[in-house]
Amino acid sequence: ERVKDDGQVAIQTRWVFTEDLEQTKGCKLKSRLCMRGDREKDKDSIRADSPTAHKDTLKLVLSIAANEKFDIVSGDIKSAFLQGQSLSREVFVVPPKEANEKGTLWLLKKGAYGLIDASRMFYLELKYKLEQLGMKNVSGDPALFTLHRDNKLIGLLCVHVDDLFMAGNEDFKEIIK
């Protein structure tokens, strides 16, 4: 949201450019506007942990997938941090100079790349959505979710930031879509 700059504490933004030399994603250059979350006030009091699947969990999922003859699929969530939970605090950012918005700040509504807790807010929203689909979080690894139908395991899903690693039958894949 655009707001008048009345001297609010605001963090800087910066562009991060990457080049895909192998062009595996169909584009050679990529740019992302990042927030300087490292400069946010009270950053030490912001909870930033977000679970990622342990390597032993991945081995377990692969073993179960082989045993159950599950298909394995990986996925990447596009613009993941913008799909996370809404911010519960006010974060003002200085627009990049290319925006030509002198005297204006942006008030973030959602997490953005560079904020300390952006991956956590995304994880919490993803967890909520997966639970809405009937998936259960595994107590030993909060980055692993399972789905059962008629008391039978039909799929597993591992989370690593905005990357998903899934194994399941056709019903599971249809539900996840």
Side-chain angles (χ1 to χ4, degrees):
E1 176 182 326
R2 289 177 172 92
V3 296
K4 186 175 186 281
D5 184 352
D6 290 325
Q8 303 94 319
V9 174
I11 59 175
Q12 298 292 317
T13 56
R14 71 181 195 124
W15 287 103
V16 174
F17 299 96
T18 55
E19 184 176 8
D20 184 359
L21 298 175
E22 296 177 18
Q23 291 184 292
T24 55
K25 295 184 180 179
C27 64
K28 189 170 183 171
L29 298 174
K30 190 165 137 182
S31 62
R32 177 176 289 148
L33 184 64
C34 294
M35 311 301 118
R36 291 296 311 264
D38 60 316
R39 304 240 172 116
E40 192 174 351
K41 106 180 152 170
D42 300 327
K43 68 179 180 186
D44 294 333
S45 65
I46 299 170
R47 187 169 175 190
D49 60 304
S50 125
T52 57
H54 190 273
K55 68 179 180 177
D56 290 338
T57 299
L58 293 172
K59 290 177 186 177
L60 177 66
V61 169
L62 287 169
S63 295
I64 293 170
N67 190 56
E68 298 296 322
K69 297 180 178 42
F70 285 162
D71 290 334
I72 296 174
V73 180
S74 65
D76 178 71
I77 308 295
K78 302 293 180 214
S79 303
F81 294 167
L82 298 176
Q83 297 184 56
Q85 290 184 338
S86 295
L87 282 166
S88 60
R89 66 187 185 284
E90 287 189 335
V91 178
F92 296 96
V93 298
V94 177
K97 63 183 175 191
E98 297 85 1
N100 245 356
E101 296 194 24
K102 294 204 185 303
T104 300
L105 296 176
W106 292 345
L107 173 61
L108 296 182
K109 298 294 185 178
K110 295 271 192 168
Y113 288 95
L115 287 187
I116 292 170
D117 57 346
S119 61
R120 177 175 176 71
M121 289 186 298
F122 171 71
Y123 168 79
L124 293 172
E125 184 67 18
L126 177 65
K127 180 178 187 265
Y128 171 77
K129 298 285 186 187
L130 293 175
E131 289 172 345
Q132 294 295 309
L133 293 173
M135 298 196 79
K136 302 283 186 218
N137 211 201
V138 174
S139 62
D141 189 338
L144 176 62
F145 295 84
T146 60
L147 184 62
H148 292 78
R149 289 291 185 261
D150 300 320
N151 291 325
K152 179 158 177 50
L153 178 69
I154 66 166
L156 304 111
L157 184 145
C158 293
V159 179
H160 183 84
V161 189
D162 64 344
D163 295 313
L164 306 178
F165 181 77
M166 301 163 279
N169 65 17
E170 290 301 319
D171 289 341
F172 174 75
K173 290 191 298 185
E174 195 59 37
I175 291 166
I176 293 300
K177 274 187 200 171

